[in-house]
Amino acid sequence: MLRYCIAALLLVISLPALAQPTIIPAPSQEKPVLITGAMIHVGNGKVIENGAILFADGKITGIGTAGSLDAPGATIIDAAGKHVYPGFIACHSIMGLAEVEAVRATRDFNETGSLNPNVRAIVAYEADSYVPATVRSNGVLLAQVAPQGGVISGTSSVVMLDAWHWEDAAYKMDGGLWISWPGMSINAAAEDEEREKQREQAEKSLSALKEFFRQAKAYGELSSPAVKNLRFEAIKGIFTGEKQLFIRAGRAKDILAAVNWSRSLNIRPVIYGGNEAHLVAEFLKENQVPVILGDPHSLPARDDDDVNLPYKRAALLKEADVQFCISTWGYWQLRNLPFMAGTTAAYGLSPEEALSAITLEPARILGIEASTGSLETGKDATLFISAGDALDMRGNQVEAAFIRGRKIDLDNKQKQLYRKYTEKYGQ
């Protein structure tokens, strides 16, 4: 009887999913494609008016002015009056690791425990999630999916937002290790007694983190460990340079402490969050520490901060010559990533500098700039065509998008629902 009840329940749960139209991942590129007449935003600060871009077998084979490229047999796309951009890159996301955050069974980004370097976000990535299709409709074509929770959260991977499964989606696998700096847990607004408890817990967590890395470093120096330790194995790449260390830290003193600790281990980290990174910009520049600015569309961290400070941080770091990019931690906000960059362009950055902050700069920070992040010969043909300015919500109208030359389906669940209810109420 129980078996039949479970089967009936699973059928009821699956019915809504079965009712949704299917979006099929794109096949490999079969013939060359030439986009001509568009304004091409290269991603490195350059703009080509009335430009042309040619790609074949998933790679860009030529770029220049309209009429300058020879493309016999190519599919020609007339993009006169439109814009071509490199695919936007989300440098930090839980997309594909969570579908409905209120339902524990769909939340695969937070593991039990405090020190979990062996947790791999990529194996939990759900390529059939409804979220990537919605996000890529605004030009976000690549994303680094990162685990949350604990002090050492686990390893992140870069994925393409059009794939059959996680192996198919993987662009750069297990390239980053994520740490949440313990000092972040102290609430300055709490009562003295509670704040003291938080401080004690933070110190305890920090001691555990330092001891764990000390042991991991000693383990990595062994030529042949007697017993294989999976958690220490996951950290080896940090010391050899094969993996990048990402540290979540917002306050200035936490950033200073995190960078100094990393330096003691001969590691150059990347700071994520950076609410007060502009206050220690000179220190970050001296130590060549990049910053992933989290969510410019947020409130100031301090009560007496300039209300527009979140919009200005990017320009402040640019002025201080600190390497940075722009991202956001959630997945529901990722479709607004281009508009976050657009806001920074209204508060100090040039439009092309803002574009680089979500294309070439994240590619550099993630170590994938040789193959993506800008529109240059030899790089992947990961790009899209927009009817207008893609950093402006009024102009961002993505008409065609390609990932490694594959023309992807730009339909998504929200568009499907729009069509459905337009049919019902628009008559």
Side-chain angles (χ1 to χ4, degrees):
M1 184 64 180
L2 178 61
R3 178 176 58 191
Y4 294 119
C5 290
I6 293 174
L9 177 61
L10 291 175
L11 178 60
V12 171
I13 293 173
S14 65
L15 284 176
L18 293 174
Q20 295 297 331
T22 302
I23 299 174
I24 304 296
S28 299
Q29 182 180 4
E30 294 183 352
K31 58 186 298 187
V33 174
L34 174 65
I35 302 172
T36 184
M39 177 180 290
I40 298 178
H41 303 262
V42 177
N44 58 6
K46 298 180 181 178
V47 177
I48 303 175
E49 300 276 357
N50 190 25
I53 184 166
L54 176 66
F55 52 95
D57 298 323
K59 296 288 185 180
I60 298 173
T61 56
I63 185 169
T65 56
S68 66
L69 301 178
D70 186 23
T75 297
I76 298 177
I77 299 176
D78 184 359
K82 300 175 183 179
H83 300 253
V84 174
Y85 295 89
F88 299 150
I89 303 172
C91 212
H92 178 275
S93 174
I94 58 171
M95 179 170 46
L97 306 181
E99 197 70 12
V100 182
E101 283 200 289
V103 179
R104 177 64 184 91
T106 73
R107 300 170 70 244
D108 292 328
F109 57 86
N110 193 338
E111 293 294 332
T112 302
S114 180
L115 304 172
N116 297 309
N118 53 314
V119 168
R120 302 174 64 214
I122 186 65
V123 298
Y125 179 73
E126 180 52 75
D128 286 329
S129 167
Y130 285 126
V131 181
T134 302
V135 169
R136 71 192 188 206
S137 294
N138 276 359
V140 181
L141 305 182
L142 295 174
Q144 178 179 217
V145 291
Q148 310 278 323
V151 177
I152 304 180
S153 304
T155 59
S156 59
S157 294
V158 181
V159 296
M160 298 176 286
L161 302 188
D162 181 66
W164 288 100
H165 42 68
W166 67 263
E167 294 100 327
D168 193 29
Y171 193 85
K172 181 178 182 180
M173 198 177 298
D174 300 324
L177 179 70
W178 283 81
I179 288 176
S180 294
W181 193 251
M184 293 176 63
S185 61
I186 301 174
N187 182 4
E191 297 292 334
D192 290 346
E193 184 176 347
E194 178 61 26
R195 193 163 62 249
E196 184 59 32
K197 289 181 181 179
Q198 293 175 356
R199 185 176 292 107
E200 290 176 1
Q201 180 59 45
E203 290 175 355
K204 182 179 178 180
S205 297
L206 184 56
S207 296
L209 172 65
K210 292 179 176 179
E211 176 60 19
F212 188 87
F213 263 77
R214 186 192 67 79
Q215 293 181 22
K217 187 174 184 180
Y219 175 89
E221 292 171 352
L222 298 175
S223 57
S224 181
V227 178
K228 190 172 184 177
N229 187 308
L230 294 181
R231 295 197 300 170
F232 291 161
E233 289 285 341
I235 289 184
K236 268 186 176 181
I238 294 296
F239 298 110
T240 61
E242 297 172 13
K243 287 184 180 180
Q244 178 66 62
L245 180 63
F246 295 87
I247 302 179
R248 298 183 181 98
R251 296 184 301 179
K253 65 178 182 180
D254 290 334
I255 295 172
L256 293 172
V259 172
N260 283 327
W261 169 72
S262 302
R263 286 177 57 195
S264 71
L265 297 172
N266 294 319
I267 300 171
R268 184 175 69 91
V270 175
I271 296 296
Y272 171 79
N275 290 339
E276 297 181 359
H278 59 286
L279 300 179
V280 291
E282 185 176 346
F283 173 81
L284 293 170
K285 179 185 177 182
E286 289 176 357
N287 290 278
Q288 298 182 319
V289 175
V291 176
I292 303 173
L293 284 174
D295 197 357
H297 289 177
S298 61
L299 294 173
R302 297 169 180 252
D303 291 340
D304 56 351
D305 279 343
D306 178 356
V307 69
N308 293 322
L309 179 59
Y311 309 148
K312 297 176 179 178
R313 284 195 196 103
L316 292 173
L317 293 184
K318 181 70 177 180
E319 185 179 353
D321 199 23
V322 175
Q323 184 183 4
F324 71 94
C325 71
I326 297 169
S327 193
T328 182
W329 80 272
Y331 64 87
W332 60 90
Q333 282 281 10
L334 278 179
R335 61 184 174 182
N336 292 325
L337 181 63
F339 313 139
M340 294 178 185
T343 302
T344 66
Y347 285 84
L349 293 183
S350 71
E352 296 308 313
E353 288 171 344
L355 174 65
S356 292
I358 55 173
T359 54
L360 186 55
E361 291 307 323
R364 286 171 172 163
I365 290 172
L366 296 173
I368 56 176
E369 73 277 13
S371 59
T372 192
S374 60
L375 302 178
E376 299 176 72
T377 301
K379 289 193 175 185
D380 290 344
T382 299
L383 52 93
F384 67 91
I385 303 170
S386 174
D389 181 357
L391 302 189
D392 186 325
M393 67 177 68
R394 297 165 299 182
N396 186 310
Q397 299 176 42
V398 179
E399 298 184 348
F402 303 83
I403 297 179
R404 283 184 168 172
R406 300 181 295 116
K407 187 175 183 179
I408 64 175
D409 188 344
L410 289 174
D411 201 10
N412 61 52
K413 185 177 181 180
Q414 294 182 354
K415 290 180 180 179
Q416 293 161 6
L417 291 173
Y418 174 79
R419 292 195 298 268
K420 175 181 177 180
Y421 287 101
T422 297
E423 180 70 21
K424 180 178 182 179
Y425 296 111
Q427 298 177 1

